[in-house]
Amino acid sequence: RDSGKPKVDALLGEVMTTCEKIRCINFNGEAWLKPSPRPVGPMMAHKRAYVEYVPFGVLGVIAPWNYPFHNMLNHVISGIFSGNAVVSKVSEHTSWSSTYFGSICRMALEINGHDPDLVQTVTGFGEAGAALVACEDVDKIIFTGSPGVGRRVMEGASKHLKPVILELGGKDPMVFCDDVKIDDVVPWAMRGCFQNCGQNCCGVERLFVYESIQQEFIDAVLPKVRALRQGIPLQTCGSDGDVDCGAMVMEGQIAIIQALVDDAVAKGATLHCGGRRNPRVSGQFYEPTLISGITSNMRLSREEVFGPIMTIIAVPSDDDDECVRLVNDCSFGLGSSVYSSSQARGMKIGKQIRSGMFTVNDFGVNYLIQSLPFGGVNESGFGRFAGPEGLRACCLERSIVEDRLPGIRTVIPSPIDYPIRKEQGLPFGMALIQLFYDESLIGKIKGIFGLIKHG
């Protein structure tokens, strides 16, 4: 009701991912937060060194509107498991549901004997998010949203030297090499482009199809795009709820999408279907769209769409190197996927793509493997959530050194103790370095004699 997504999309994108997050954290979280032993060198062999993960205190989460349930609980789960309190500023576009989602968190805490006030929900506009960033009681900010707003969050946090994690969306590529079976890859293109009506940070926004199979692919996928049912996803809203594509969460997003499509068509792109606000449905609906002939001078190839648009870019001469160049000609770098009958070929291409995540012959499974860190590079932001990296990011990493055996401690040799005796201190220090770091046995022996002589 709040985000306009069909029930299946809500089930897969909101509920299932959150259940997997809970399962993964419950099963692995304690091990990920155990002190991490670190090796010591020969000079410090009498010491034990490790890193411990200490809760920051209060995490401030600024959550987006595309998946209001998961984007809120995702960080609440990690935050409270790692010992923090969590304050979530939810999007003003999906505030209605946040009250119910917040009550789930509070009830779960209370039933398990914890203070329900550990989790708080804040509603409001940009000013509320800015206040959360500036609040001296908030120790770290986790932000998901656009690069423009992310920069403002980072700027606000910098005034307080407050650490941030920024997940700023993407322009994810999906590559179909010339050796794929068209019938096998069409469902992945459909899921990648049209799940949640294209409102996905790691949705497919650029579909690279090798030139020799492009027309065959368009012929196969076009009827499926045209057949997508769009409408109100809930029966209680006057619909039968039997739809594939729901609504755009924001009215203003429709104008953004239209401008990008119009720019591409004006510059020579081919519009196969869609490309307009849906005239048959009342509300914030943009028709599922298929467009090809996209080139690098079109805004559609570079700017995040966040809508139900399948954008096809041809890979000339079926050239793998040219494919990599085209894919990397983009300021975003969140996720990526490559399909080929040869996994080795797909991996070779994928490892050259500059992105935070990559899958070969699959799509979206990174998010169902919650042991993997989630995040990107460049305009897609920095920092990670999920996996041990994400859970530990909720903590201060504190380096600890202690004696390995009782009674054996570090002492300062007299030649280098203050006040330093110049005639002994320098040659003693040189001999010490020679003993531990000279690569030859003779050099180490000389170091020993140097220590004896000058000690």
Side-chain angles (χ1 to χ4, degrees), residues 432-444:
L432 190 66
I433 292 173
Q434 191 172 20
L435 169 62
F436 284 105
Y437 303 110
D438 196 299
E439 294 183 353
S440 69
L441 179 60
I442 294 176
K444 291 181 181 295

Side-chain angles (χ1 to χ4, degrees), residues 340-413:
S340 170
S341 63
S342 166
Q343 179 159 305
R345 181 187 184 188
M347 287 297 296
K348 183 179 179 181
I349 295 171
K351 287 185 175 182
Q352 299 176 73
I353 297 174
R354 185 166 173 77
S355 64
M357 300 172 288
F358 164 70
T359 57
V360 61
N361 292 325
D362 215 324
F363 164 75
V365 292
N366 302 67
Y367 217 63
L368 287 175
I369 304 175
Q370 283 284 318
S371 59
L372 289 172
F374 184 94
V377 297
N378 300 338
E379 289 285 302
S380 291
F382 54 81
R384 298 292 184 266
F385 45 82
E389 296 83 358
L391 191 60
R392 291 169 180 172
C394 297
C395 301
L396 167 67
E397 296 174 331
R398 184 157 57 191
S399 299
I400 306 293
V401 179
E402 61 184 15
D403 293 329
R404 188 180 297 274
L405 297 172
I408 301 179
R409 297 181 177 178
T410 305
V411 295
I412 300 176

Side-chain angles (χ1 to χ4, degrees), residues 234-263:
L234 294 178
Q235 292 182 353
T236 54
C237 293
S239 166
D240 61 10
D242 194 16
V243 299
D244 303 304
C245 274
M248 306 307 299
V249 176
M250 295 195 305
E251 170 68 32
Q253 192 66 24
I254 293 179
I256 294 172
I257 297 169
Q258 193 63 61
L260 294 174
V261 171
D262 290 346
D263 173 78

Side-chain angles (χ1 to χ4, degrees), residues 292-351:
S292 66
I294 302 301
T295 55
S296 61
N297 67 323
M298 301 173 185
R299 293 173 57 197
L300 195 57
S301 72
R302 298 181 178 277
E303 299 178 27
E304 192 173 28
V305 180
F306 236 63
I309 312 295
M310 183 178 287
T311 301
I312 298 178
I313 302 170
V315 178
S317 304
D318 296 349
D319 186 278
D320 290 354
D321 291 336
E322 179 63 9
C323 177
V324 172
R325 188 194 69 78
L326 290 170
V327 168
N328 286 334
D329 185 23
C330 180
S331 59
F332 289 95
L334 188 56
S336 57
S337 55
V338 176
Y339 288 74
S340 170
S341 63
S342 166
Q343 179 159 305
R345 181 187 184 188
M347 287 297 296
K348 183 179 179 181
I349 295 171
K351 287 185 175 182

Side-chain angles (χ1 to χ4, degrees), residues 260-282:
L260 294 174
V261 171
D262 290 346
D263 173 78
V265 172
K267 293 175 180 176
T270 301
L271 182 64
H272 299 273
C273 68
R276 61 177 182 172
R277 189 183 194 119
N278 196 326
R280 300 178 299 277
V281 186
S282 176

